[in-house]
Amino acid sequence: MPPLYAHMIECGVVDLDPWHLLRGETQVRRARHIEQVFPGWGIVPFARRTDNDDVACWTGSSVVVIDDWDVWSTDGKPIRHVQDEYPSMEEWLLAAVRDFVEFDWS
């Protein structure tokens, strides 16, 4: 994970409705699920949306947002559908802040 992830946790930036950082056992369970659904992809989930099934995952060099519950498959093989992609964790965080501003809190 990039240093920004740890810095967000250290600063208490873990809830940006609708995004919530995954940590500890919750992150481990989600990672296991993703590995089961998409074996060998090697992505690390680090945040989830609370209003849908989107999960932000670190690829090692960028962030992909996927829905790991709405899996399309052909011939029994899941298709890795990327809903959004960001070139860096910083770009994902800026988008998450925009989502926070636009989120309907009522």
Side-chain angles (χ1 to χ4, degrees):
M1 293 297 301
L4 180 56
Y5 172 77
H7 184 60
M8 290 172 67
I9 292 171
E10 289 168 7
C11 293
V13 181
V14 295
D15 291 311
L16 286 169
D17 280 341
W19 289 100
H20 177 79
L21 288 190
L22 297 171
R23 298 165 292 168
E25 185 58 31
T26 304
Q27 185 177 29
V28 170
R29 280 194 311 270
R30 199 64 179 248
R32 284 185 193 136
H33 171 75
I34 289 173
E35 180 58 27
Q36 182 180 17
V37 174
F38 302 111
W41 195 352
I43 56 178
V44 179
F46 67 87
R48 67 172 177 83
R49 279 190 71 119
T50 57
D51 62 337
N52 62 31
D53 293 328
D54 287 356
V55 181
C57 302
W58 180 245
T59 68
S61 60
S62 65
V63 173
V64 293
V65 176
I66 65 169
D67 179 345
D68 59 333
W69 294 101
D70 187 18
V71 179
W72 300 305
S73 63
T74 57
D75 300 332
K77 297 179 182 178
I79 297 172
R80 298 175 181 174
H81 175 71
V82 174
Q83 297 181 176
D84 288 303
E85 186 165 6
Y86 301 94
S88 67
M89 178 73 82
E90 291 83 358
E91 289 297 319
W92 171 83
L93 178 56
L94 291 172
V97 169
R98 281 191 301 274
D99 290 344
F100 173 75
V101 170
E102 296 170 358
F103 190 65
D104 182 12
W105 314 319
S106 54

